[in-house]
Amino acid sequence: MPSGASNRAAGDVPEPAREPVLSQDPHAVREPRENNLERAIGHAVRERRKRLGLTSADLAAATGLSPGMLSKIENGNISPSLTTLQLLAQALGMPITGFFRRYEEVRNAVFVKAGEGVELERRGTRAGHQYNLLGHIYENTSGVTVEPYLITLTTDSDVFPTFQHAGLEFLYMLEGEVLYRHGDRHFHMQPGDSLFFDADAPHGPAELLVLPARYLSVIAYPQSGSTD
């Protein structure tokens, strides 16, 4: 066989490129909350240790715990005694209650009745774009801020294809039609169409084709960041 020739038999169809596998199962069931206490403690220990620039060996030496025991604590595999927690708290310079903060955090939910979203003024408001915020959770455990908006464009609206901000954005067209720009590409969006993109590139409605137009816009960015 000539050098570089394929080993594929005649008639074989090349396999399509595989899409990346998503690591999170949206239907997964978590362990009962009481079994997550050890994990919350372990997460707090590891997070504080790394913030202080300590290695596992450093913390083990400072507390007198074995490296193996410390590894089990950080991985949530054992329930440490109060004496052990006191040793860790002293070595890490934090109160014992700090180990339970993540476990005790409230997981919030926001329910908005139809027509009751909060109307906000954003940069696009100057172009006649109406923004209704459909919910916002200020503090959450994900480290991500998510802003869901219902955006309405009317005959009083103007094009505004130059939005740029941190994070990712997802659009879902509900009514009307717009030609939506993202970077150097344009997408003709009709009801049922969606667009998911890196919001750092210039984006926004470049042409208003059928009005009124309404679409959902969901923006996500790190909690330390901002979309303004």
Side-chain angles (χ1 to χ4, degrees), residues 22-169:
L22 300 179
S23 61
Q24 182 162 288
D25 180 359
H27 304 293
V29 178
R30 303 187 86 178
E31 295 178 10
R33 191 167 184 269
E34 58 270 18
N35 292 341
N36 287 326
L37 176 57
E38 291 81 5
R39 292 187 181 183
I41 293 173
H43 180 275
V45 172
R46 182 187 295 110
E47 183 178 57
R48 180 67 174 178
R49 173 177 63 77
K50 290 185 175 180
R51 185 176 300 174
L52 294 175
L54 300 175
T55 65
S56 296
D58 293 334
L59 185 55
T63 58
L65 299 173
S66 69
M69 173 66 73
L70 182 58
S71 176
K72 289 180 179 180
I73 292 173
E74 290 196 353
N75 289 315
N77 294 330
I78 63 172
S79 181
S81 67
L82 287 176
T83 300
T84 298
L85 289 178
Q86 186 174 25
L87 289 171
L88 288 168
Q90 291 173 347
L92 295 171
M94 62 186 292
I96 289 181
T97 54
F99 295 126
F100 305 99
R101 189 171 295 119
R102 183 179 177 90
Y103 176 75
E104 294 173 343
E105 285 176 338
V106 177
R107 273 60 171 177
N108 293 315
V110 177
F111 176 66
V112 178
K113 292 287 289 182
E116 294 183 1
V118 178
E119 188 168 343
L120 298 179
E121 183 170 329
R122 298 293 299 273
R123 283 186 297 165
T125 305
R126 296 193 296 269
H129 299 191
Q130 179 182 329
Y131 292 82
N132 285 92
L133 183 63
L134 301 181
H136 189 60
I137 297 177
Y138 291 95
E139 297 292 339
N140 65 76
T141 60
S142 70
V144 177
T145 296
V146 179
E147 299 179 3
Y149 293 97
L150 174 62
I151 299 178
T152 302
L153 308 177
T154 67
T155 53
D156 295 326
S157 305
D158 199 358
V159 296
F160 200 106
T162 55
F163 290 109
Q164 276 184 280
H165 52 81
L168 302 173
E169 186 165 354

